[in-house]
Amino acid sequence: MSEQLGTQQRPLRVAIIGAGPSGFYAAGALQGKLKESGLHTSIDMFDKLIAPHGLVRYGVAPDHQKIKSVSKVYDLTANDANFRYFGNVEFGKDLTHAEMREMYDAIIYAVGAQSDRNLGVPGENLPNSFSATEFVAWYNSHPEYANFNPDLSVSSAVVVGVGNVAMDVARILAKSVEELKVSDIADHALADLANSNIKDVYILSRRGPAQVKFTPVEIKEFGELAVAEPVILPQEMQIDEVSAKLADADGEMRRNLVTMNAFAARHSEGKERRVHFRFLLSPVEILADADGKISGVKCEINKLVPNDDQSDMKAVGTGQFETIPAGLVMRSVGYKGSPLAGVPYDKRSGTIPNKEGRVTADGGVTVSGEYVVGWAKRGPSGVIGTNKPDSVATVVSLVADVGALTPATNPSRDAVVALLQSRNVRFVTQAEWKKIDAAELAAGKAQSRPRVKLVSPDDMLKVL
Ligand code: NAP
């Protein structure tokens, strides 16, 4: 006879893989079900890194501290008696998919989108051509990128793409060390950026100003920088009729255009750095000089044509070219997921295939007891808060399925601890993370910074 899951005697055992925003929102939503419907849960959250909070810690820009305050909400979730954190535990390596299935009634994948998209152009693999993902991880103290060391001795940098990530990386390149040192930027990045020679940052959009992906607050910041000013060519602000109509119906786009038009109308203040927003340019080759160093980005000039239903505009090459000077090239053209051992994966979209958060295998068949949230579910879109309703929706699916789930064969809370200990996996608990957190905050206080992040796992473990 199968046991009833979700009772006080036999809580629903849920493993959440990934301790980023989507994982925490899923945990919070599950905890909320106790009050709502009397469902008892026991949640174990795993992350391959020691520190939790995923993109809030390692993605959100260090000079955007307000966004990071959401981690207080995650701490409330983590403080629940029926929640345990296991940092420094890698799914697929320290614990296999089959073992997890034995110990948990349900698994929620909250693994985000860890890798990046390529441009697919010649020269992309030259030294000092890299992805924004790597640069972000480097300046945010991600342990795997501490030695990334981009060459900032060059005078000109190109950022490809006009999403919010492109805004983040361009702003970090454009800010003075005084502006950066009040943040929790990695010390190694602060030291390198203090010696940066970069004077011109070119942000390249393959479409026009009415098709940008960034949000109004992000573009506005470029008008408020201490040592850098925005540059937009007035002729590139000419917008065709269809684009104007589409932009008019979109409040954020209207605000973006107001800001960009103001930038285009500005006279230079003679600041030492410039951030150029360039439109209708698609990189076709990253060029190198005789020493193999990047010298520029050859771009095809595009024009815009409406797509079939006139709902958007697409870029079409004109056969004419322009070369933008560059010694560093950063592509910021979107993230993509990476497959997990034993878990279905859709290569094309870079996500875990699912229906309403229920993982599906080939042919669309639901994999009982497995769920997905966040970027791994819907792709890399939306801000941190977008993950809340998304995770709630998956939890609604999970809760609807509880009666039909196959109970775990080894649901004891001790099982996972014993297994990890037998493998000498030094997992980090929530209480231990809070000690590391306190050490970082204290180091920050001493320097009048929000925190000084510990980078290497060894340094973090030393605190314990
Ligand atoms: P994104 O918003 O999807 O932007 C990707 C950009 O890359 C677009 O401008 C896109 O142009 C361009 N692109 C794609 N393929 C290209 C190609 N082959 N050649 C040239 N350009 C290409 O992605 P993201 O910036 O990585 O951001 C991911 C998500 O995180 C977004 O939802 C973003 O808002 C969010 N985020 C938010 C914040 C914040 O709230 N402050 C900060 C960072 C990230 P097309 O439009 O023409 O495809």
Side-chain angles (χ1 to χ4, degrees), residues 57-226:
R57 179 176 169 95
Y58 291 118
V60 171
D63 57 343
H64 280 176
Q65 286 297 316
K66 246 194 193 160
I67 304 179
K68 290 179 190 258
S69 60
V70 69
S71 55
K72 292 197 185 100
V73 177
Y74 307 154
D75 277 346
L76 289 180
T77 299
N79 288 341
D80 190 287
N82 293 318
F83 176 100
R84 294 186 302 182
Y85 177 59
F86 293 87
N88 209 21
V89 178
E90 189 170 346
F91 177 88
K93 185 175 141 237
D94 299 320
L95 294 169
T96 67
H97 175 255
E99 288 162 349
M100 296 293 249
R101 290 303 315 243
E102 285 168 18
M103 296 186 288
Y104 297 94
D105 307 309
I107 304 177
I108 300 176
Y109 301 106
V111 292
Q114 314 245 344
S115 58
D116 51 85
R117 295 189 184 276
N118 291 330
L119 291 170
V121 302
E124 196 166 5
N125 296 324
L126 284 166
N128 231 23
S129 159
F130 47 84
S131 69
T133 319
E134 294 166 288
F135 188 66
V136 168
W138 171 71
Y139 67 57
N140 270 335
S141 309
H142 191 296
E144 289 158 21
Y145 292 87
N147 299 317
F148 176 60
N149 302 336
D151 176 4
L152 307 177
S153 68
V154 301
S155 62
S156 169
V158 159
V159 175
V160 183
V162 279
N164 279 332
V165 173
M167 296 302 101
D168 283 346
V169 297
R171 194 179 63 253
I172 295 294
L173 287 175
K175 274 196 167 180
S176 66
V177 70
E178 281 70 29
E179 287 171 294
L180 292 173
K181 74 180 180 200
V182 292
S183 74
D184 65 354
I185 192 166
D187 283 344
H188 55 243
L190 188 62
D192 284 7
L193 287 160
N195 291 320
S196 167
N197 267 336
I198 293 173
K199 298 283 178 280
D200 290 280
V201 179
Y202 292 88
I203 301 173
L204 305 186
S205 170
R206 62 178 168 185
R207 300 192 288 160
Q211 285 81 31
V212 293
K213 289 277 173 69
F214 51 67
T215 38
V217 179
E218 276 63 30
I219 179 74
K220 257 187 129 173
E221 282 182 84
F222 286 92
E224 298 153 5
L225 301 178

Side-chain angles (χ1 to χ4, degrees), residues 285-329:
E285 185 176 358
I286 298 174
L287 306 169
D289 62 16
D291 299 330
K293 288 195 165 163
I294 292 178
S295 59
V297 180
K298 183 177 173 188
C299 298
E300 182 164 15
I301 301 171
N302 296 327
K303 62 178 182 186
L304 290 179
V305 295
N307 63 4
D308 292 344
D309 61 3
Q310 304 237 329
S311 62
D312 203 356
M313 303 295 280
K314 58 183 178 194
V316 178
T318 60
Q320 289 177 309
F321 298 88
E322 177 179 347
T323 296
I324 307 290
L328 178 160
V329 177

Side-chain angles (χ1 to χ4, degrees), residues 258-392:
V258 167
T259 306
M260 286 187 279
N261 276 315
F263 288 172
R266 269 164 92 125
H267 293 291
S268 169
E269 296 168 63
K271 288 188 177 170
E272 69 184 73
R273 293 179 184 166
R274 290 156 296 276
V275 181
H276 309 257
F277 292 81
R278 293 294 316 273
F279 297 98
L280 295 171
L281 293 173
S282 278
V284 291
E285 185 176 358
I286 298 174
L287 306 169
D289 62 16
D291 299 330
K293 288 195 165 163
I294 292 178
S295 59
V297 180
K298 183 177 173 188
C299 298
E300 182 164 15
I301 301 171
N302 296 327
K303 62 178 182 186
L304 290 179
V305 295
N307 63 4
D308 292 344
D309 61 3
Q310 304 237 329
S311 62
D312 203 356
M313 303 295 280
K314 58 183 178 194
V316 178
T318 60
Q320 289 177 309
F321 298 88
E322 177 179 347
T323 296
I324 307 290
L328 178 160
V329 177
M330 216 184 314
R331 57 182 184 278
S332 181
V333 294
Y335 289 79
K336 90 174 185 270
S338 313
L340 290 175
V343 183
Y345 180 70
D346 177 15
K347 249 194 193 158
R348 202 181 38 80
S349 64
T351 59
I352 296 175
N354 69 91
K355 277 189 202 141
E356 292 166 340
R358 297 177 175 95
V359 174
T360 57
D362 282 349
V365 187
T366 304
V367 182
S368 172
E370 300 197 25
Y371 300 85
V372 61
V373 289
W375 280 6
K377 172 187 176 186
R378 64 175 196 279
S381 69
V383 296
I384 301 287
T386 314
N387 292 297
K388 192 170 180 183
D390 174 286
S391 292
V392 167

